[in-house]
Amino acid sequence: MANKTPKTDTKKKTKQKRKSSSKFSLTFGKLFFISAVLAGLWAYCMLKILTTPPDVPKLNLDEYWGPYPMNPKPDLSIRPYEIEFSDIMINDLKERLLHRRPFPPPLEEVGFTYGFNSHFLTRVLDYWQNKYNFKEREQFFNKFDHFVTNIQGLDVHYMHVKPQVSSDVEVIPLLMLHGWPGSVREFYEIIPKLTTLQAGRKFVFEIIAPSLPGFGFSQAPVRPGFGPAEMGIVISNLMKRIGHDKYYVQGGDIGHMMGCILATFFPKNVMGLHTNTPLLLFHPQENIFTVLGVLWPSLIVEPQLQSRMYPLSEHLMRLAEESGYLHIQATKPDTIGIALTDSPAGLAAYILEKFSTWTNDAYKKAGDGNLLAKFSLTHLLDNVLVYWSTNTITTSMRTYAETMNKRFFAMRLDEIPTDVPTWGIKFKHDLVFHPDSMLKLKFKNYLHSTIVEDGGHFAAMENPDILATDIFEAVDMFLQFHNHTKMPETREKVQETPNALETIYQFSVKDIYGKEVKLDKYKGHVLLIVNVASQCGLTDTNYQQLNELYEKYAKSRHLRILAFPCNQFGGQEPGSEKEIIEFAKEKNIKFDIFEKIEVNGEDTHPLWKFLKRTQSGTFGDFIKWNFSKFIVDKNGLPVERFGPNVNPIDLEPHLAKYW
C-alpha cells in the first residue's frame, strides 16, 4: 500500500495539470476571440471614420467682420476705385531704402540656399529706389477697372474686366483668386488673353479678380476667427453683389483653397473649378495613399509622373526646407509682420525669395536666384509694392494662423466631396504634387490634369499663355459636361430607333483617305477603338503601345485597332488628313486610322454615340480626353471602356478575355 500512494498522487497531479491547462487554453481562446472581435470593430470604426464624409458646416452667411460701432445703414453700393501711390508713401519708401543698414555679406558660393542673397538684394533695392517708375506703374495698375464694395463690414476691392466682343460670342464670368505672397498683380499678363476671343472658341471671359480680405487693397477683419471658410463666404457674397449667381472659378495657392471652399459650400453657384495648385491639404486618406505609394508607387501615380512624388524622402526634405515660413505665419504672424512692415528691404527679400525657390527649387543654387529667368524686376516689385503701399503683409499672414488651427481642422472641408467639375494643371516644379487618384477623393467630377514639364508656383505671372489656354480648354470641357449631365431625356438619340443598333457592324465610317468602310468587315475580330491626337502629352506612349499590341496580337489573336483622330480636346489634332497621314508614317503606324471626327457634342459621330451609349463612363456618355478606349468583342458588342490614363499595354488581360 505504501508503494501505491505516490502513484495515486501522481495521477491526481496529472489530472489537475490537464484541467488547469484546459482552463488556460479555454481562457486564452476566449481572450483571443474577444481581442479579434474588438480589433475587427476598431478596424470597422476606423474605416467608417475615414470614409464617411462630415456634413457641410453651417456658418453665418452675414457675419459682421468690420470695426464697431456697426453702421446701421452701411453703403452697399459698388464704387469705382483708383490705385494711388502717393508722394508721401514714395518718399518715405525711398528714404528707408537710402538709409538701410549694410547687409552681412553672404557666405561664399551659397546662392540662395541660406535665403535671399544679400549681394543680389542690393541690386534689387537700388533698382527700386532709383529706376522703378512709381507713377508709370500707378498708371499700369489702373489700366483695368477697379471697384470696392462693403461686404459684411469689410471694404472688398476687385478688378472687373469685361471683354469687347460681338453679341454672338458668349461671355462667361470667371472669378480669379490669388494666393500668398501674390496679389491681383499676378493676373495682369493673363487677363488680356482671357478676354480676347481665341480661334475656334465661341466664348470669352469676364474677369472678376478680388483682393482677398486682408490682402492688398481689401480691408482686413478686425477680430479673430476669419478663416478660409469665412473668407470664402465673403467672396461668394461679392459675386452675388456684382450680379453673378453662377460662375467659374480659377485659383492657385490660397486661391485654390478658396475655390475648393466655394465648390464645397456653394456647388450650385460654382459651375466649374480650375486650379493650378491641385492638391488636398487635410485629407487623412491622402496620407495613407502617400505612404502606400512608397511601397507600390504604380498604385498611386502614373509611372511617368512618379518622380514628382517619389522618393518620398526627397520631397519631404524640400517641403521641410520651404515650409518654415508657414510655421512662423501660422503661430506668430504679427511678430514677423512688424519686421516686414518696418523694412522695405526685409519685405522685398521675404517675398521675392519665394518667387525664386517656388518657381524652381534648383534656382536656389544661383547667386541671383535665377529670378530674372522668368520675371522682370519691375513686375516683381509691382507685387511687393502692393503689400508695402497698403501695409497688409501682417494681415495677409494672419490667414495662415486662421487656417492652421483646431477650429478650421475640425471642419474637415477637404473630406467633404463636391460634384463641381474640376480641372487641374500641374507644373513640374510646384511645391506639392498630388495624383488624380488622390484628388478624386474630394472632387468626384475631376475631369482632367494637364501635365506641364516646366513651371512652378506662380503660374499666371510665369506662364500666362499656357495657363490661359488651359483655362479655355477646361471651361470648354465644363460646358460639355453640363450639357451631357442635365436633362438626359432631351439628349439626342443615336437614331430614331436606337435599340435596333445591337452591334457596331451596322455602321459605316470613312478611313483617313476618305474611303467608305463598312465595319462588318471586322466580324470575328476583337477590336480596340480609340480617339487619338498627334500633339497630346499622351501621344507618344499610346501610339507606341498601340503599335506594340497590334504587332503582338494582330496575327495570333486577330486583334484590330481602329483609331479616330479628334481635335476636341485641347486642339491637339489640328492637322489636315494629309498631315495626320504623314504623322502616322513617322510613327510607323500599322493599325487602321479613320477620318477626323467629333466624339462629344451635337456633331458626335454615330459610331461614337453608340459606343458611349452602350459603355457609359464615369461621366455618362461623355468622353473625357484623348485616348479613351473601347473594347469590342468578336460579336461586335462594346464590352469594356477605359479612360485616357490607362495605357494600352495594360489592356492585355482585358483583351485576352475575348480572344
Side-chain angles (χ1 to χ4, degrees), residues 90-340:
I90 295 171
N91 292 333
D92 174 70
L93 172 60
K94 288 186 174 182
E95 282 292 313
R96 291 171 184 265
L97 292 172
L98 177 64
H99 296 292
R100 63 182 183 267
R101 297 178 67 188
F103 305 128
L107 297 173
E108 294 179 0
E109 300 179 358
V110 296
F112 269 47
T113 58
Y114 277 64
F116 206 103
N117 188 291
S118 57
H119 284 337
F120 185 66
L121 181 60
T122 300
R123 175 182 167 186
V124 172
L125 300 180
D126 286 344
Y127 179 88
W128 201 8
Q129 178 187 348
N130 300 310
K131 296 182 180 179
Y132 184 87
N133 191 324
F134 288 86
K135 291 304 177 184
E136 179 188 89
R137 302 318 294 167
E138 182 180 86
Q139 294 175 4
F140 171 83
F141 270 93
N142 286 306
K143 67 187 291 186
F144 300 130
D145 291 331
H146 296 254
F147 300 90
V148 67
T149 188
N150 194 273
I151 306 288
Q152 297 172 240
L154 303 177
D155 278 347
V156 179
H157 157 267
Y158 65 98
M159 295 192 300
H160 198 167
V161 186
K162 298 181 180 181
Q164 302 298 318
V165 292
S166 58
S167 58
D168 61 334
V169 176
E170 184 179 5
V171 177
I172 293 177
L174 179 65
L175 172 64
M176 300 194 74
L177 300 169
H178 65 80
W180 186 94
S183 66
V184 292
R185 173 60 186 87
E186 293 182 75
F187 302 135
Y188 271 70
E189 282 70 37
I190 196 173
I191 284 176
K193 303 177 188 302
L194 295 171
T195 53
T196 301
L197 186 64
Q198 288 190 347
R201 306 286 184 192
K202 299 178 181 179
F203 63 89
V204 291
F205 296 104
E206 171 188 344
I207 304 298
I208 300 96
S211 295
L212 298 178
F215 291 72
F217 309 104
S218 284
Q219 190 176 358
V222 300
R223 60 189 61 87
F226 188 80
E230 291 75 17
M231 187 181 292
I233 290 171
V234 169
I235 298 302
S236 173
N237 287 335
L238 171 66
M239 293 301 287
K240 292 178 182 177
R241 178 74 54 80
I242 294 171
H244 290 304
D245 186 55
K246 296 185 182 298
Y247 49 91
Y248 296 83
V249 180
Q250 197 287 322
D253 192 81
I254 293 176
H256 160 77
M257 187 189 300
M258 288 294 99
C260 295
I261 287 169
L262 289 168
T264 302
F265 279 90
F266 309 106
K268 293 183 179 180
N269 304 105
V270 178
M271 303 301 291
L273 169 62
H274 180 279
T275 169
N276 56 280
T277 318
L279 55 84
L280 299 180
L281 291 172
F282 311 109
H283 198 297
Q285 291 184 56
E286 177 265 321
N287 296 321
I288 296 172
F289 275 40
T290 301
V291 173
L292 280 176
V294 174
L295 301 175
W296 302 287
S298 60
L299 291 176
I300 307 301
V301 60
E302 300 92 330
Q304 64 270 26
L305 299 174
Q306 286 178 15
S307 62
R308 298 194 182 193
M309 195 170 179
Y310 300 105
L312 185 60
S313 58
E314 293 181 7
H315 292 276
L316 289 178
M317 281 297 296
R318 185 193 177 194
L319 279 178
E321 288 183 10
E322 295 301 327
S323 60
Y325 83 97
L326 187 151
H327 188 75
I328 294 173
Q329 294 174 195
T331 54
K332 309 293 182 184
D334 286 27
T335 301
I336 185 65
I338 290 170
L340 302 181

Side-chain angles (χ1 to χ4, degrees), residues 54-63 65 152 225 229-230 233 261 264-266 407-408 410-413 416:
D55 295 329
V56 178
K58 296 187 182 299
L59 299 178
N60 184 352
L61 302 185
D62 298 304
E63 189 169 1
W65 294 103
Q152 297 172 240
E230 291 75 17
I233 290 171
I261 287 169
T264 302
F265 279 90
F266 309 106
R407 178 178 175 274
F408 182 70
M411 294 185 189
R412 298 169 59 194
L413 296 182
I416 302 173

Side-chain angles (χ1 to χ4, degrees), residues 358-389:
W358 293 2
T359 298
N360 189 328
D361 188 57
Y363 286 177
K364 66 185 179 185
K365 298 176 182 178
D368 61 357
N370 270 357
L371 272 170
L372 303 185
K374 297 292 182 71
F375 311 105
S376 72
L377 280 182
T378 295
H379 294 175
L380 291 170
L381 289 170
D382 283 347
N383 184 65
V384 178
L385 189 62
V386 169
Y387 285 93
W388 180 264
S389 64

Side-chain angles (χ1 to χ4, degrees), residues 408-427:
F408 182 70
F409 291 161
M411 294 185 189
R412 298 169 59 194
L413 296 182
D414 268 355
E415 299 176 54
I416 302 173
T418 176
D419 291 326
V420 171
T422 304
W423 175 299
I425 182 169
K426 301 176 181 179
F427 290 92

Side-chain angles (χ1 to χ4, degrees), residues 557-628:
R557 299 294 184 180
H558 304 292
L559 172 69
R560 294 294 182 267
I561 298 175
L562 284 59
F564 288 83
C566 179
N567 194 43
Q568 286 185 287
F569 306 102
Q572 294 174 346
E573 189 68 281
S576 62
E577 270 69 17
K578 182 178 179 181
E579 289 170 322
I580 294 172
I581 292 169
E582 290 299 316
F583 180 80
K585 289 179 179 178
E586 291 175 9
K587 293 289 184 181
N588 196 27
I589 299 305
K590 306 294 185 184
F591 48 84
D592 298 339
I593 300 181
F594 295 85
E595 69 173 349
K596 188 157 61 173
I597 62 165
E598 292 191 3
V599 298
N600 285 328
E602 295 180 359
D603 297 323
T604 300
H605 191 282
L607 170 64
W608 281 78
K609 289 181 182 179
F610 176 68
L611 291 171
K612 294 191 297 181
R613 179 172 65 83
T614 53
Q615 285 294 319
S616 61
T618 307
F619 313 117
D621 63 355
F622 182 70
I623 297 296
K624 178 180 176 183
W625 196 250
N626 304 308
F627 299 102
S628 293

Side-chain angles (χ1 to χ4, degrees), residues 382-587:
D382 283 347
N383 184 65
V384 178
L385 189 62
V386 169
Y387 285 93
W388 180 264
S389 64
T390 59
N391 196 15
T392 53
I393 188 61
T394 300
T395 55
S396 73
M397 294 189 297
R398 287 176 184 162
T399 303
Y400 288 81
E402 300 291 356
T403 302
M404 310 297 289
N405 59 34
K406 291 181 181 179
R407 178 178 175 274
F408 182 70
F409 291 161
M411 294 185 189
R412 298 169 59 194
L413 296 182
D414 268 355
E415 299 176 54
I416 302 173
T418 176
D419 291 326
V420 171
T422 304
W423 175 299
I425 182 169
K426 301 176 181 179
F427 290 92
K428 185 173 184 178
H429 303 296
D430 208 346
L431 291 169
V432 179
F433 174 87
H434 281 175
D436 292 4
S437 59
M438 289 185 186
L439 298 170
K440 290 176 182 178
L441 293 171
K442 177 173 179 65
F443 305 108
K444 297 307 179 183
N445 291 320
Y446 190 85
L447 302 185
H448 176 71
S449 284
T450 301
I451 305 300
V452 184
E453 292 299 325
D454 190 21
H457 194 66
F458 303 99
M461 282 186 73
E462 181 189 357
N463 291 300
D465 289 305
I466 295 174
L467 188 62
T469 298
D470 201 62
I471 294 169
F472 269 106
E473 291 174 1
V475 174
D476 197 357
M477 186 74 78
F478 295 156
L479 293 169
Q480 294 183 50
F481 174 87
H482 289 299
N483 287 336
H484 281 77
T485 54
K486 66 181 180 180
M487 300 178 64
E489 67 276 8
T490 65
R491 293 180 194 165
E492 186 179 356
K493 305 296 183 183
V494 176
Q495 64 172 33
E496 290 184 3
T497 56
N499 292 331
L501 294 172
E502 298 296 337
T503 72
I504 69 162
Y505 301 143
Q506 282 89 349
F507 293 96
S508 294
V509 296
K510 288 184 179 180
D511 66 17
I512 193 65
Y513 301 99
K515 181 182 177 182
E516 194 81 16
V517 178
K518 293 183 177 181
L519 293 185
D520 60 4
K521 68 174 281 190
Y522 293 104
K523 283 185 177 180
H525 294 277
V526 174
L527 306 180
L528 184 59
I529 302 179
V530 190
N531 63 306
V532 300
S534 58
Q535 298 180 14
C536 178
L538 303 172
T539 297
D540 289 343
T541 299
N542 275 266
Y543 267 103
Q544 177 186 341
Q545 293 186 11
L546 288 170
N547 242 3
E548 185 178 338
L549 282 177
Y550 185 82
E551 291 174 348
K552 192 172 181 179
Y553 296 114
K555 291 184 178 179
S556 64
R557 299 294 184 180
H558 304 292
L559 172 69
R560 294 294 182 267
I561 298 175
L562 284 59
F564 288 83
C566 179
N567 194 43
Q568 286 185 287
F569 306 102
Q572 294 174 346
E573 189 68 281
S576 62
E577 270 69 17
K578 182 178 179 181
E579 289 170 322
I580 294 172
I581 292 169
E582 290 299 316
F583 180 80
K585 289 179 179 178
E586 291 175 9
K587 293 289 184 181

